[in-house]
């Protein structure tokens, strides 16, 4: 049995959290003189002088409806990056506990761990970018408080095997964090239905990708209510600002628009794949379930430089494990993709 209580750092368990003015009184009143806000108004035309709802109740209700999950199972962060940081801070004792990651993967897991003086255990993905389950299970011990699994994985773009993730969930007692930042590009594959069976599963999602709201900074963690309460306890009181709460509420009403963008981006991804296949200096196009492609060139450094000269910036991932000579290319608009392909074809001609 997983004992969530035992996983929390003792100082966090004993922490008396900050209680903000909006925690102590919420509701309607004629006069608010409890939060040292500016009673005259704000310097902008929007009414921004009041602190936002620290529990983001309206937004959580909306997300609850869309994702079909109870509000007690939702934590909202200033990007999913905030949730990653808070999970490490709540569950890993600095200098003692560890997280386990599977490179090549999203860089913030390591950075957040290192900021918090938490050791990082690496079990590389296999060359096909799937999990080495046996190695993971061998390396997990009671000090491994969090296992980070990114699916679809960044930078490789593939979904990780659901069966492998379930095996890890079945055989480990720390938290298993599945980062689904790109899941809206293949929504049917979300592991959210597993939450009810695994109290130690945490799923991260974000509005930064398919919803097109990276600037708003809204990340979501879905988990057992106990884990959510711990995250709420240690978050800065007003971590989701008022504009973000308001705009996210409006945006989440536009799910048809989101789905339409997803369909168009997937179509563009397929088109990019087709076109890239015909360029001889492209060696491998890795299968993607996200809004980007990992592509191996025969000389990625040169390609990267030439693209940059043409004003096209892609991400050089050539130093990452199994990613020798690889560039990560975000799917652009039709015109941007056209320009990218033309530039690559010209480069090929000039070789
Ligand atoms: C796998 C993964 N997780 C999380 C994030 C961060 O998302 P957010 O914008 O919600 O902080 C990214 C951003 O690129 C990502 O690739």
């Amino acid at each position: 049995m997983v004992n969530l209580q035992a996983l929390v750092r003792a100082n966090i368990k004993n922490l008396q959290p900050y209680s903000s003015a909006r925690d102590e009184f919420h509701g309607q009143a004629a006069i608010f003189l409890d939060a040292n806000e500016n009673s005259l108004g704000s310097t902008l035309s929007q009414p921004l002088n009041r602190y936002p709802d620290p529990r983001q109740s309206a937004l959580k209700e909306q997300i609850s409806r869309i994702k079909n999950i109870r509000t007690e199972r939702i934590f909202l962060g200033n990007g999913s990056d905030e949730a990653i940081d808070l999970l490490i801070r709540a569950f890993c004792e600095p200098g003692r506990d560890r997280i386990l990651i599977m490179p090549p993967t999203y860089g913030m897991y390591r950075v957040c761990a290192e900021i918090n003086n938490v050791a990082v255990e690496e079990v590389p993905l296999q060359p096909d970018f799937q999990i080495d389950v046996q190695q993971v299970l061998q390396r997990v011990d009671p000090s491994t408080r969090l296992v980070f699994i990114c699916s679809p994985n960044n930078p490789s773009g593939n979904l990780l095997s659901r069966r492998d993730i379930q095996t890890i969930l079945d055989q480990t007692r720390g938290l298993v964090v599945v980062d689904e930042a790109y899941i809206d590009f293949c929504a049917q594959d979300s592991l959210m239905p597993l939450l009810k069976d695994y109290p130690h599963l945490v799923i991260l999602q974000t509005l930064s990708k398919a919803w097109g709201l990276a600037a708003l900074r809204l990340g979501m963690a879905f988990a057992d209510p106990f884990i959510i309460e711990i995250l709420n306890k240690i978050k800065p009181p007003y971590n989701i600002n008022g504009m973000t709460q308001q705009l996210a509420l409006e945006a989440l009403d536009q799910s048809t628009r989101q789905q339409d963008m997803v369909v168009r981006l997937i179509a563009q991804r397929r088109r990019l794949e087709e076109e890239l296949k015909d360029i001889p200096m492209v060696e491998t196009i890795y299968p993607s379930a996200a809004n980007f492609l990992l592509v191996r060139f025969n000389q990625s450094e040169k390609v990267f430089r030439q693209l940059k000269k043409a004003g096209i910036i892609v991400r050089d991932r050539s130093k990452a494990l199994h990613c020798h000579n690889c560039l990560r290319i975000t799917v652009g608009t039709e015109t941007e993709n056209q320009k990218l392909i033309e530039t690559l074809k010209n480069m090929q001609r000039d070789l």
Side-chain angles (χ1 to χ4, degrees):
M1 262 302 283
V2 174
N3 182 351
L4 292 178
Q5 295 260 358
L7 290 173
V8 186
R9 289 170 63 199
N11 61 315
I12 303 294
K13 215 184 304 179
N14 299 331
L15 178 77
Q16 182 63 43
Y18 178 72
S19 177
S20 70
R22 289 290 164 273
D23 279 318
E24 290 180 12
F25 179 88
H26 42 105
Q28 292 304 314
I31 299 175
F32 278 105
L33 301 175
D34 60 345
N36 295 348
E37 296 152 339
N38 187 329
S39 307
L40 301 183
S42 70
T43 44
L44 293 169
S45 50
Q46 298 103 311
L48 291 168
N49 54 326
R50 299 294 179 191
Y51 282 104
D53 174 7
R55 292 225 153 209
Q56 310 104 19
S57 305
L59 187 49
K60 280 185 185 163
E61 272 174 26
Q62 172 95 317
I63 293 170
S64 157
R65 277 192 295 275
I66 293 179
K67 298 280 177 188
N68 195 19
I69 188 167
R70 285 193 294 130
T71 52
E72 296 79 11
R73 286 181 166 275
I74 306 173
F75 170 81
L76 299 180
N78 187 350
S80 29
D81 283 344
E82 185 177 39
I84 294 168
D85 179 54
L86 293 180
L87 282 163
I88 293 175
R89 282 205 269 160
F91 293 95
C92 300
E93 191 64 43
R96 188 195 73 189
D97 295 332
R98 302 180 301 157
I99 67 162
L100 187 146
I101 64 171
M102 303 170 199
T105 193
Y106 183 49
M108 283 303 281
Y109 313 138
R110 169 178 280 286
V111 171
C112 288
E114 287 182 350
I115 290 170
N116 289 295
N117 190 27
V118 166
V120 179
E121 180 91 24
E122 291 192 340
V123 176
L125 291 175
Q126 303 183 85
D128 64 353
F129 298 117
Q130 287 298 331
I131 303 176
D132 187 339
V133 182
Q134 286 322 310
Q135 272 299 316
V136 170
L137 295 179
Q138 264 176 29
R139 302 274 278 281
V140 164
D141 70 17
S143 74
T144 317
R145 293 306 172 96
L146 301 171
V147 173
F148 281 95
I149 300 175
C150 187
S151 179
N153 186 46
N154 176 6
S156 51
N158 59 307
L159 274 165
L160 302 191
S161 145
R162 189 189 189 94
R163 213 182 51 198
D164 289 350
I165 299 174
Q166 247 176 293
T167 306
I168 293 172
L169 279 163
D170 284 330
Q171 303 201 23
T172 58
R173 297 289 165 263
L175 299 191
V176 176
V177 183
V178 179
D179 185 343
E180 295 190 337
Y182 299 95
I183 201 69
D184 295 316
F185 298 100
C186 46
Q188 74 284 0
D189 294 303
S190 171
L191 293 189
M192 287 199 41
L194 295 186
L195 282 167
K196 58 181 182 337
D197 301 323
Y198 296 102
H200 57 319
L201 171 62
V202 181
I203 292 184
L204 302 180
Q205 293 187 4
T206 178
L207 297 195
S208 296
K209 311 294 175 183
W211 290 89
L213 297 167
L216 278 194
R217 312 303 304 130
L218 192 79
M220 301 165 275
F222 304 108
D224 187 276
F226 175 79
I227 297 174
I228 299 301
E229 260 322 294
I230 293 289
L231 297 177
N232 281 330
K233 195 172 172 184
I234 66 171
K235 79 180 177 68
Y238 303 111
N239 64 328
I240 309 298
N241 73 68
M243 290 301 287
T244 295
Q245 292 192 43
Q246 184 196 317
L247 291 173
L249 263 176
E250 287 173 31
L252 288 166
D253 261 343
Q254 306 291 326
S255 55
T256 326
R257 186 111 197 263
Q258 185 254 38
Q259 282 152 19
D260 176 56
M261 287 201 287
V262 166
V263 168
R264 284 165 54 202
L265 287 168
I266 293 174
Q268 283 300 313
R269 185 185 76 207
R270 296 215 170 104
R271 183 186 145 218
L272 263 184
E273 278 174 303
E274 285 307 310
E275 302 254 22
L276 286 166
K277 262 189 212 152
D278 293 336
I279 301 177
M281 65 189 180
V282 170
E283 287 186 353
T284 314
I285 307 159
Y286 286 93
S288 171
N291 65 337
F292 59 84
L293 287 171
L294 186 71
V295 182
R296 172 165 291 117
F297 292 86
N298 54 17
Q299 289 182 67
S300 67
E301 204 182 312
K302 199 163 156 196
V303 175
F304 181 82
R305 239 184 306 117
Q306 300 271 75
L307 285 177
K308 191 167 155 201
K309 239 194 231 164
I312 302 172
I313 310 301
V314 296
R315 200 83 194 267
D316 179 4
R317 294 282 86 170
S318 60
K319 305 284 182 299
L321 188 74
H322 307 318
C323 295
H324 179 62
N325 267 329
C326 284
L327 301 178
R328 195 194 68 195
I329 304 175
T330 304
V331 176
T333 63
E334 191 175 349
T335 322
E336 288 168 343
N337 298 333
Q338 187 66 41
K339 182 88 186 25
L340 171 81
I341 295 294
E342 267 168 31
T343 311
L344 289 172
K345 282 185 176 162
N346 289 340
M347 276 166 64
Q348 181 72 54
R349 229 170 281 134
D350 294 345
L351 274 181

